[in-house]
Amino acid sequence: MSHVTAERLLVINPNSSAAVTRAIDVAVDPLRARSPFAIDVMGLQGTPAGIAVQSDADQVAPDVLHAMRAHPARGYVVACFSDPGVPGAREELGGIPVRGIGESAILHALIVGDRFGIVALSRSAILRQRRLVRVMGVDARYAGSRAVDARAEETTSALVLDRMSEAACGLVSDGADTIIMGCAGMAHFREEIEGLCGRPVIEPTRAAVAALIGDCLLRN
């Protein structure tokens, strides 16, 4: 595929929640001053408000790829922990780097600590996380996931902060020494949860953008 690149990175929120898109934009803002590339964030229209089940992830994958075709960039981040459309986009875009936040957060966790746990949105999200861990071959480093029983757009509210903190502390009890936030919408609670659970907390979109910056620099 012929794809004109620009000196910017594009972060795509595959769901249609404007609140989640805003949370993602705030999460990556600290990286903008340090990045040699502009960092833009966009949401999608007509997709589910949250990626609740595997069929939601399958449904939005073509929309993610369409957005990449329509918006040229130096590299892309798909800001959903299910990484919808990432394998197909990598195949179609060739040398243009594409990062999914689920895969990127787990890879980062492997160098931060020995065992990681994931704060999941729901029990169905846990199934997808287990599958991702299994496909990546890092089962031995996975302490498990705990669900907060919330929708993606609800994670932007302080109402679920207690549930996220409880899940993070539970994962520490399960043997995790590093905690991954399992949804892009959780970003603004990273520092609070880290303080409450006493372990490093990885915000997945920031981890993916930082890795993408490195990918692009290595291709220069």
Side-chain angles (χ1 to χ4, degrees):
M1 172 183 176
S2 175
H3 196 82
V4 179
T5 60
E7 290 304 304
R8 66 158 181 168
L9 310 179
L10 182 60
V11 181
I12 300 171
N13 172 22
N15 71 48
S16 58
S17 170
V20 172
T21 301
R22 286 193 297 270
I24 292 168
D25 192 61
V26 171
V28 302
D29 194 56
L31 297 176
R32 289 188 166 106
R34 305 170 187 175
S35 171
F37 313 104
I39 302 172
D40 293 337
V41 176
M42 67 173 289
L44 299 182
Q45 301 295 319
T47 56
I51 310 301
V53 293
Q54 185 60 49
S55 60
D56 291 334
D58 295 342
Q59 176 186 333
V60 302
D63 298 287
V64 169
L65 188 53
H66 176 76
M68 292 179 184
R69 292 176 184 137
H71 300 278
R74 186 69 178 267
Y76 298 92
V77 165
V78 179
C80 169
F81 208 85
S82 297
D83 295 347
V86 169
R90 286 172 174 163
E91 182 179 277
E92 180 164 333
L93 300 183
I96 297 175
V98 178
R99 286 271 178 173
I101 66 170
E103 180 186 60
S104 296
I106 290 172
L107 290 173
H108 186 56
L110 296 178
I111 62 172
V112 173
D114 182 57
R115 299 184 73 204
F116 64 91
I118 306 173
V119 178
L121 279 180
S122 64
R123 289 172 177 81
S124 63
I126 290 176
L127 296 177
R128 299 195 302 281
Q129 290 167 6
R130 288 174 180 165
R131 187 182 307 121
L132 176 60
V133 168
R134 187 169 62 250
V135 168
M136 292 178 68
V138 295
D139 309 57
R141 306 278 294 277
Y142 177 50
S145 297
R146 290 200 176 210
V148 297
D149 297 321
R151 299 187 303 273
E153 60 270 30
E154 291 177 323
T155 60
T156 63
S157 166
L159 295 175
V160 296
L161 176 58
D162 287 345
R163 279 181 271 166
M164 286 189 274
S165 299
E166 183 180 354
C169 291
L171 290 166
V172 172
S173 298
D174 295 338
D177 54 25
T178 305
I179 306 300
I180 297 173
M181 307 178 89
C183 175
M186 298 176 178
H188 50 297
F189 293 128
R190 190 197 67 80
E191 291 184 1
E192 288 93 332
I193 294 173
E194 188 169 270
L196 289 166
C197 75
R199 298 294 188 277
V201 174
I202 295 173
E203 195 290 301
T205 305
R206 196 177 298 182
V209 171
L212 183 64
I213 291 169
D215 291 340
C216 293
L217 290 175
L218 289 171
R219 281 172 162 79
N220 280 348

